[in-house]
Amino acid sequence: MEKVVVIRFGELFLKGKNRDYFESLLIRNIKSALRGVQFTFERSQGRYFVEKFAEDDLGEVIERLKKVFGIHSLSVADKVAVRWEEDFPEIRARLAAAARKIAESADGKIPFRVTVKRADKRIPMTSAQIAAALGGTVLSLGAFKVDLTGYDCDFKVDIRENGVALVYTDVIPGAGGLPVGCSGRGMLLLSGGIDSPVAAYMMAKRGMKIFAVHFASPPYTSDKAREKVVELRDLVSRYAGDIRLFVVPFTDIQLAIHKHCPANYMITIMRRFMMRIACLLADAHDCGALITGESLGQVASQTVESMTCTGDTASLPVFRPLIGMDKEEIMDIAKKIGTYETSIQPYEDCCTVFLPKSPVIHPSLEAVRKAESALAVDELVRAALAAAEECR
Ligand code: ATP
Ligand code: MG
């Protein structure tokens, strides 16, 4: 039997005059998430329908759509003929089959209702009358009782204009959030760790289109470390859509800091360089903000004073969506979105190279600026940026 995926989107963001814009982004993102799959797309009565895909692709279609932000929920429907003049034989047969299956794994009478939507106005019955008539089929099985408000099971029947109906019961939660692209662009500082991929996911969920920059320190960091970052980018892309990733060589900057600045300021000054370079890259790609995976107090470089010192060099707002989260909570999201296993692979990160024994935990801005004044900052930044490479 032909299956149709019904897509419902969040109502809230669709109110007001931005509706068309949001919808066009959402439709574009849905189509791009289904790249490589054959299907047709329809929009009707405030919902979308993905149809005519190969039977074997159903699982894949659902998996991909579950990751598209802006989708509130999904259902897999059976497409059947309406034939109202003959009392809906196909619809009744589908309802009975679905109901029998549900009854198999339940004891006691299952409270249910039937919800009918009717686009075909030729049918001389109201939606409520049709629902009551079809409910009789479910009731006749003996395992159900009608309960319009306290139902456990909602049999949905959408009668469309073209003589077909969609019949379904399950509602699969969607990813929620806003369609990627509706909240501008952000430049993510993507390390190989657990946190920054989660930060990207969170901002993409609020509609931000993500670009990413990774700082690598060859030969101290390996190709494997870089491949890991590319893999994390690809994993997050399943939610965030395409993410352009730039890799910036950071070794010369680290060597210069190591040579000319006090060891305990190493991390703080490194981060200041990362912010500067990320801001320039952000400007070049029309990003209005930076995004990091910082969480307050997690490590020495994530105290209020440290973030004041690093934020000092950023000319754009720095979004830190994990700031108030515990590591456990961050790890749970990483597991849910499928980045955790890749993140915990043990490859060197540029920050672990030249790691000082005792980094300052509460650096003062004045002292950091002074420590940094030994460096040719602009020149180092320019050279690193000039050597940036895009990773496909
Ligand atoms: P993560 O799990 O994201 O690596 P972390 O807990 O290891 O975070 P830090 O190493 O202090 O924390 O990094 C804080 C943030 O700085 C990261 O979340 C990331 O946004 C950014 N960052 C750190 N290292 C790099 C890097 N090599 N390239 C790009 N961004 C980085
Ligand atoms: Mg890290």
Side-chain angles (χ1 to χ4, degrees), residues 209-220:
K209 167 111 183 126
I210 309 292
F211 288 67
V213 54
H214 174 70
F215 297 93
S217 308
Y220 302 99

Side-chain angles (χ1 to χ4, degrees), residues 189-191 193-196 215 271 293 298 301-302 349-351:
L189 283 82
L190 178 61
S191 67
I194 294 170
D195 304 330
S196 39
F215 297 93
R271 288 268 188 273
Q298 195 187 80
S301 59
Q302 297 176 20
D349 181 64
C350 79
C351 302

Side-chain angles (χ1 to χ4, degrees), residues 314-380:
S315 52
L316 293 172
V318 183
F319 290 164
R320 300 177 172 91
L322 313 185
I323 197 70
M325 292 172 74
D326 292 346
K327 194 76 190 184
E328 287 289 318
E329 295 173 289
I330 300 170
M331 278 161 48
D332 284 348
I333 300 178
K335 286 173 189 163
K336 183 184 92 177
I337 66 174
T339 53
Y340 182 78
E341 291 302 324
T342 303
S343 286
I344 59 174
Q345 287 170 21
Y347 296 114
E348 290 296 305
D349 181 64
C350 79
C351 302
T352 49
V353 183
F354 308 112
L355 203 65
K357 283 202 186 66
S358 54
V360 276
I361 295 172
H362 305 289
S364 90
L365 190 51
E366 205 185 341
V368 172
R369 285 179 177 162
K370 184 153 171 263
E372 200 184 63
S373 65
L375 301 174
V377 172
D378 291 348
E379 218 168 284
L380 286 165

Side-chain angles (χ1 to χ4, degrees), residues 217 220 250-271 273 350-358 371-372 374-376 380:
S217 308
Y220 302 99
F250 208 51
T251 318
D252 290 347
I253 291 176
Q254 284 180 299
L255 289 172
I257 304 172
H258 188 59
K259 190 162 170 199
H260 298 290
C261 306
N264 52 345
Y265 282 106
M266 180 87 203
I267 301 259
T268 314
I269 297 176
M270 261 170 54
R271 288 268 188 273
F273 273 92
C350 79
C351 302
T352 49
V353 183
F354 308 112
L355 203 65
K357 283 202 186 66
S358 54
E372 200 184 63
L375 301 174
L380 286 165

Side-chain angles (χ1 to χ4, degrees), residues 28-29 69 179-190 196-213 232-233 236-246 282 285-292 319 321 390:
R28 192 193 65 189
N29 294 346
F69 292 124
V180 168
C182 78
S183 302
R185 299 174 167 198
M187 180 63 71
L188 167 75
L189 283 82
L190 178 61
S196 39
V198 174
Y201 164 85
M202 307 250 318
M203 294 317 300
K205 182 168 184 180
R206 296 309 303 162
M208 194 161 242
K209 167 111 183 126
I210 309 292
F211 288 67
V213 54
L232 287 171
R233 184 272 307 266
V236 175
S237 295
R238 297 179 306 169
Y239 291 89
D242 294 338
I243 298 174
R244 292 180 68 182
L245 167 65
F246 303 91
H285 297 283
D286 288 331
C287 297
L290 302 186
I291 303 164
T292 75
F319 290 164
E390 181 163 4

